[in-house]
Amino acid sequence: MIVGIFGIGRIGKVHAENITRYFPDIHIKAIADPFMSEESVNFCKQINVPVITNDCNVILNDKEIDTVLICSSTDTHSSLLIDSANAGKNIFCEKPIDYDLDKIKAALNAAQKNKITLQIGFCRRFDHNHKSVHDLVQAGKIGTPHIIKISSRDPSPPPISYVKVSGGIFYDMMIHDFDMARFLANDEVEEVYTSASVLVDKAIGEAGDVDTAVVTLKFKSGTIAVIDNSRQAVYGYDQRVEVFGSKGCAINGNDTSSTAQVWGEHETVTDTIIKGMWDRYRGAFIAEIEAFCDAVKNKTEPKATGVDGLYSVLIAAAATKSFKEKRVVKLSEIVY
Amino acid sequence: MIVGIFGIGRIGKVHAENITRYFPDIHIKAIADPFMSEESVNFCKQINVPVITNDCNVILNDKEIDTVLICSSTDTHSSLLIDSANAGKNIFCEKPIDYDLDKIKAALNAAQKNKITLQIGFCRRFDHNHKSVHDLVQAGKIGTPHIIKISSRDPSPPPISYVKVSGGIFYDMMIHDFDMARFLANDEVEEVYTSASVLVDKAIGEAGDVDTAVVTLKFKSGTIAVIDNSRQAVYGYDQRVEVFGSKGCAINGNDTSSTAQVWGEHETVTDTIIKGMWDRYRGAFIAEIEAFCDAVKNKTEPKATGVDGLYSVLIAAAATKSFKEKRVVKLSEIVY
Amino acid sequence: MIVGIFGIGRIGKVHAENITRYFPDIHIKAIADPFMSEESVNFCKQINVPVITNDCNVILNDKEIDTVLICSSTDTHSSLLIDSANAGKNIFCEKPIDYDLDKIKAALNAAQKNKITLQIGFCRRFDHNHKSVHDLVQAGKIGTPHIIKISSRDPSPPPISYVKVSGGIFYDMMIHDFDMARFLANDEVEEVYTSASVLVDKAIGEAGDVDTAVVTLKFKSGTIAVIDNSRQAVYGYDQRVEVFGSKGCAINGNDTSSTAQVWGEHETVTDTIIKGMWDRYRGAFIAEIEAFCDAVKNKTEPKATGVDGLYSVLIAAAATKSFKEKRVVKLSEIVY
Amino acid sequence: MIVGIFGIGRIGKVHAENITRYFPDIHIKAIADPFMSEESVNFCKQINVPVITNDCNVILNDKEIDTVLICSSTDTHSSLLIDSANAGKNIFCEKPIDYDLDKIKAALNAAQKNKITLQIGFCRRFDHNHKSVHDLVQAGKIGTPHIIKISSRDPSPPPISYVKVSGGIFYDMMIHDFDMARFLANDEVEEVYTSASVLVDKAIGEAGDVDTAVVTLKFKSGTIAVIDNSRQAVYGYDQRVEVFGSKGCAINGNDTSSTAQVWGEHETVTDTIIKGMWDRYRGAFIAEIEAFCDAVKNKTEPKATGVDGLYSVLIAAAATKSFKEKRVVKLSEIVY
């Protein structure tokens, strides 16, 4: 597999580094970023990337490159996706494909028309803890799902400048959880209701967003999922899921840095949970690339498809609408 | 304290037995139940109750009896409460006071007018696990509450005959959780949204009720609580709460029968959670009586007041209305 | 069952109270204690014991009393046991029967000759956590036991005055663990090695005892057990067992007061373990009486026999000898 | 840092791979192995090692190579260590240095004389779980250590052919735990007592070894450590330590593959512990190289010194002697 990477920000570097370390069969031939910094150039050199460029066309026009990773800013995803698909390249695209439903549709059409493999970067589907719960559900251990609970809380809020352009908590943060809910329920959402507040930082409210949100999803089967998000969990990056069903309950907890504890006179103290996203999902970032390679090689359906990318945005749109209109919103109301 | 007990069904027996065992200072002088069975008479004799009667007036008219426990069927609560209050007796009344808001109001007025102590049987406020979380929150360990999560699932559904007269899952089962949410939030509810399904047993749906429900409560402060109920958790009586706030998260888990586990070749097996309500809240039933005695003796406000009893029913009414009308309901819409 | 109790100190009161509360079929007719205090008399009156006396013969001579509980000081156990057995009464005797092996032999002979039921107060065999591990082992869940680990640590040391007359840590404290090791191994000890130190309080050393001890037991089958004792675990009454075998490992942990925990910014804090022996083994004290009643009624072998009482003392003797002679001691060296 | 590696078996490959992945500042210039296989040559090529040779002298004579990793078979450790030290190279040497105390002494003398940095491969000192307990102890969280417990059990026994040449369980397997005990106690051992059995496989006994062993160590301070080893824990690679002291207890548990669990009707099932040594100590292998680099760069004392290497072998000798002579052995009896 000969790979080109669009965008060499944080997530681009993570994928490039993981590929260099763990995937000896993948050759990163080119990395393109219109805003390539000196530090990024050095990074690319250190991992022996032959072609380092500001120009995305270098990758698009390179016939040898059969696969691309789209790790650039969200507003460039759909056009790069369409161009890459038209150039016949397999595509791993970071989420979200776009916030605009028409652009998503165009991107999915291009992927389908060109019969390339498209996987969306819903890394959490590949996380050891979440995947275990998913697999236990799929193995029938809990029977039919009745209630799904997802807690997803960031250690600290992003800068207000970012909040303003983020698309809001439902597009920016909870989108992962919408995908997780669909992944765990193995079903499609019908109704969405949002209850949300500004409790962490007033400035987030002034920027037109909320920082604390609980969204209830009703699936076609009647399964109910409830997701809670907070922009600030001081104790760490809180990532838990639970699927309750007719035969039992599958549930996970947070990872900790160690299993050590101290039994003291007045309290028992255990290690805190892992604080950073990059640490928490370190294994998931590797596993999603491995799964993508498998899908490309075996020409099988990826485990996080373009349609998954579309649906998470549809639900984000419904959740936003529900919040604004203070009412339950049917997914069918979101037209595209 | 000289006590009379109205109603000697399951909960009446639990209180009578606990008082006999653990409260040597309380003398149960009389137990009245219009449907007193031979088995119940024997029970009363065994614990040396002097007066065993079908006639509630025997208790109401006995000047020596200064305190009553109302453990009869729900439809008799409010009138017994009013009569007992008017007779100047302190009252421990099982929840709910009534489903009719006017009757509740009348009962609370009678209690207030007669300046007697009235405690409602919200036993969970006194449970070791839930009280610990509450006390940690009150001690400021988690800062300001932002999100509250309550899971409350019964091991198995009641008979359909009972479902039909139960008032529905929100009045019958989730009422405890509405009270728990207020207890943990230390705040009042403004908005209620219900998402509910029939997933356990179609017969429950045919009886006009649901068996799986998720209710979102928004408090005045902006705190959001989410409660999930199921009529059937095959693994036991699942009772968990979580309060997430600005400085951390207080959370509890289920009690198990033992701490034993087996590390086997293919799996690690731990003990299941406690299956029955009577076992799970055994200590809470004792602790609530102890707290009631303290409130009576010290003339302090009980830890579960008549107003708490009222609010839980108000929220149940709003949750029911939200379910029926498929929309968010403000608590202020519930007129009484 | 009509019962007499010898000795109304702490453990005598626990049994008397439990019988009154939980065993309506048992009638405590008499309690005898040569050093009966006013407070003890009041206690006996409160639980409605008809005969309260300083004279043990009152119980021994009462034909109606078919069963006795020997809860007096250790030095009186064997003679009361012999007299009660000769009077044809079934006997529950607190551990140890005696420290003198000849006296134990005489007592066991008397019990056997009179064909009465004799159960020794090894309450830990009836503890929910330890019994669960035992039952899992008996059920074959871990195959053949290879290694047994027992941690048993008191929250704080007894007064030095008590240490001086206690017979030493191996007779006074670890005797419970010797019995537990035999109970879990279902085998007999061949070799004993003791390593011990004075680390908690020098005064304990000056009194001729140790406060920290690790004893290794080798069983006939080759199974190795290791017991550690400390007179002071500041975090509570630490009681854990582990049985490792050919098919897995059965292990338990300490009970805590609640399942509540706080996830804070710098640490996760969980509830401490139960600090007091009386709380920790509350259920075990009830369960051992229940098992004793069953053995009496069904004329089955008790779950903690006189022979168990003997062997625990034999091992204590060997452990003491090993400590003094700084060498491994065979149990066969302990002659009686 | 320019590095040469002696020996490219399993552990040599692990270090070479980790250095390539995680230590961009370290250049592996040469790998020497007298029994270099074609597969190993390919491995070396893949990670771009310039010099691949059968001849250890190539490394010893290369002035540019300032640092060596000795990963060859144990019988070659001491002579390679001496030659490398005499060549002025810093040395990371896998444990044990040797089984012969004179050879160890000679090796340590060479290291000292040449003032090079020598670190021994006691990787467990760098494990996240064990290091956490160690650091908590060093931070004073548990006061003075009184009792140390170490459980160390392999998932399955090595081939009998290996058992015969392994030096026995105390040199081959428990040596890690002897080092861990010293690491946690921060003290020196005075007395050693071994109780051991053949319970896993008779063939191990026929090969002159044991498969189940419990060793008690008494330290100078009076602290008592107890280590249990088994060649076969069917549930995985069981690695736990506990340090009990005057102010509390620091303890860890095993890592699991995920935090997922299933609450089923009859049992709660959690994920099994990690089964393989290479997975379990993956992070420790990286961390020990990082620490070694720091020690070399900063000319500080390594965290696992040659003296640590010597003492672990001394204790292994004493444990072996105790087992053979069925008596407690003082470490001072082991002459070298």
Side-chain angles (χ1 to χ4, degrees), chain B residues 250-265:
Chain B
I251 185 169
N252 63 27
N254 287 303
D255 285 333
T256 54
S257 300
S258 84
T259 60
Q261 50 182 277
V262 172
W263 302 344
E265 188 169 359

Side-chain angles (χ1 to χ4, degrees), chain A residues 267-282:
Chain A
E267 55 190 21
T268 293
V269 177
T270 60
D271 217 336
T272 51
I273 71 170
I274 290 175
K275 299 230 167 178
M277 193 253 279
W278 303 104
D279 277 344
R280 175 63 184 82
Y281 287 123
R282 183 184 302 278

Side-chain angles (χ1 to χ4, degrees), chain B residues 70-104:
Chain B
I70 303 178
C71 304
S72 50
S73 61
T74 299
D75 59 314
T76 66
H77 285 185
S78 64
S79 65
L80 283 170
L81 200 160
I82 291 168
D83 292 346
S84 300
N86 288 338
K89 299 182 197 304
N90 294 307
I91 302 167
F92 178 94
C93 181
E94 278 303 321
K95 64 97 225 172
I97 302 175
D98 203 287
Y99 295 139
D100 182 291
L101 291 164
D102 288 330
K103 288 190 182 170
I104 297 175

Side-chain angles (χ1 to χ4, degrees), chain D residues 18-230:
Chain D
N18 284 338
I19 288 171
T20 307
R21 276 186 186 163
Y22 304 110
F23 297 89
D25 293 347
I26 306 182
H27 173 55
I28 305 176
K29 183 174 179 189
I31 293 182
D33 194 321
F35 308 102
M36 179 78 72
S37 67
E38 200 184 313
E39 179 264 329
S40 292
V41 171
N42 288 337
F43 172 87
C44 295
K45 283 181 182 167
Q46 199 164 37
I47 60 169
N48 297 315
V49 175
V51 182
I52 306 167
T53 174
N54 294 318
D55 182 2
C56 292
N57 288 313
V58 172
I59 290 177
L60 290 169
N61 296 333
D62 188 329
K63 302 283 182 202
E64 205 187 25
I65 292 175
D66 50 47
T67 304
V68 297
L69 275 63
I70 304 178
C71 303
S72 50
S73 62
T74 299
D75 58 314
T76 65
H77 284 186
S78 63
S79 64
L80 283 170
L81 200 159
I82 291 167
D83 292 345
S84 300
N86 288 337
K89 300 183 195 307
N90 295 307
I91 303 166
F92 177 93
C93 180
E94 277 304 320
K95 66 94 226 173
I97 303 175
D98 201 288
Y99 295 140
D100 182 291
L101 291 164
D102 288 331
K103 288 189 182 170
I104 298 175
K105 201 154 65 171
L108 299 199
N109 285 342
Q112 196 172 15
K113 195 185 64 188
N114 291 289
K115 293 181 181 165
I116 55 96
T117 296
L118 169 63
Q119 183 173 318
I120 308 301
F122 283 122
C123 58
R124 297 184 191 181
R125 289 182 174 228
F126 303 90
D127 171 66
H128 59 300
N129 290 337
H130 302 330
K131 186 174 182 302
S132 289
V133 167
H134 171 267
D135 291 355
L136 289 163
V137 173
Q138 288 302 308
K141 298 285 184 187
I142 62 109
T144 309
H146 290 180
I147 298 170
I148 294 170
K149 291 167 68 181
I150 300 173
S151 281
S152 177
R153 301 168 190 161
D154 278 355
S156 54
I160 295 300
S161 58
Y162 175 80
V163 169
K164 287 177 181 166
V165 299
S166 70
I169 196 171
F170 306 106
Y171 283 98
D172 176 56
M173 184 175 166
M174 206 181 275
I175 198 162
H176 273 295
D177 306 301
F178 295 140
D179 184 64
M180 183 56 60
R182 287 180 65 253
F183 179 60
L184 294 172
N186 202 20
D187 193 7
E188 294 304 343
V189 168
E190 274 197 340
E191 290 175 5
V192 179
Y193 177 74
T194 299
S195 185
S197 295
V198 178
L199 297 171
V200 172
D201 185 353
K202 281 181 185 173
I204 293 175
E206 287 159 13
D209 201 359
V210 292
D211 52 35
T212 305
V214 172
V215 170
T216 308
L217 307 175
K218 187 134 177 213
F219 286 87
K220 286 184 176 166
S221 60
T223 302
I224 305 167
V226 62
I227 299 164
D228 70 87
N229 269 193
S230 169

Side-chain angles (χ1 to χ4, degrees), chain B residues 22 129 249 251 253 259 261 263, chain C residues 22 129 249 251 253 259 261 263:
Chain B
Y22 303 109
N129 290 337
C249 187
I251 185 169
T259 60
Q261 50 182 277
W263 302 344
Chain C
Y22 303 111
N129 290 337
C249 188
I251 186 169
T259 60
Q261 50 183 278
W263 302 344

Side-chain angles (χ1 to χ4, degrees), chain C residues 272-289:
Chain C
T272 51
I273 71 170
I274 290 175
K275 300 232 167 177
M277 193 253 279
W278 303 105
D279 276 345
R280 175 62 185 79
Y281 287 123
R282 184 185 302 278
F285 291 124
I286 300 169
E288 69 177 348
I289 296 298

Side-chain angles (χ1 to χ4, degrees), chain B residues 103-123:
Chain B
K103 288 190 182 170
I104 297 175
K105 202 155 65 172
L108 299 198
N109 285 342
Q112 196 172 17
K113 194 185 65 186
N114 290 289
K115 292 179 181 166
I116 54 96
T117 295
L118 169 63
Q119 183 173 316
I120 307 302
F122 283 122
C123 58

